[in-house]
Amino acid sequence: MAMIGTSKTHHLFGGLIDMSGRHVVRVALLGAMIGLIGFALTLFMKDVIFQPIICEETVSGGCVSARDTAVMIGMIFMALVGLLGLVRLSVYRPLLIVIAVVVSFWSVGSLTLQLSWYEALAWWVLLYAFGYVFFSWLVRPRAFLPTVILVIAAVTLIRWLPTL
């Protein structure tokens, strides 16, 4: 298990928490696993639970809400699993990482479920692996305020980029 240590960068944001390469790989694998489980859970809920209930009653509009409802519930479940996984891996500031990933990728589920299943699965796995590694790297400063500012800026940029 990786331990949290202090780096030699005391002058920058009160110092940075070290992250070994092994720790980065573990966080990436956790993110990929969360993307895989989240995709499967969201697809299952959409196709088996919500679509038969909602789409049966209405012809137009109901199926979109079935997809969006499944994505929202899947994201909440993924956040809980991600938080527990990050705590288990002793990652610094796991709640901030999970909140940043959820807010950054909130609309990814709705966008990717329109793709073929293998393309959507690949996007989910890659994005969540990248998201967890990126934000676990970004929250390393010991000073909390600069960390929150960095995370808010990154989340804003991630949410804004697809609109271009």
Side-chain angles (χ1 to χ4, degrees), residues 39 42 46 63-72 75 105-115 120 124 128:
F39 176 76
T42 301
K46 179 183 86 67
C63 294
V64 173
S65 67
R67 181 190 68 211
D68 292 342
T69 304
V71 168
M72 283 185 250
M75 291 288 286
F105 299 143
W106 188 258
S107 60
V108 168
S110 297
L111 296 173
T112 57
L113 287 179
Q114 299 171 10
L115 302 172
W124 280 56
Y128 280 93

Side-chain angles (χ1 to χ4, degrees), residues 75 100-109 127-128 130-131 158-159:
M75 291 288 286
V101 169
V102 167
V103 173
S104 296
F105 299 143
W106 188 258
S107 60
V108 168
L127 283 174
Y128 280 93
F130 171 77
I158 290 169
R159 298 285 299 165

Side-chain angles (χ1 to χ4, degrees), residues 4 6-7 32 37 64-66 77 79 90-91 100 103 123 142 148:
I4 295 175
T6 307
S7 71
I37 292 170
V64 173
S65 67
F77 178 77
S90 299
V91 175
V103 173
W123 277 110
R142 285 194 175 274
V148 170

Side-chain angles (χ1 to χ4, degrees), residues 1 16 22 24 35 45 50 62 65 72 74 76 80-81 97 100 106 110 114 117 125 142-143 153-154 162 164:
M1 179 178 343
L16 298 175
R22 191 170 139 200
V24 170
M45 286 189 305
F50 295 116
S65 67
M72 283 185 250
I76 292 168
L80 291 173
V81 171
I97 295 167
W106 188 258
S110 297
Q114 299 171 10
W117 71 269
V125 168
R142 285 194 175 274
L164 293 178

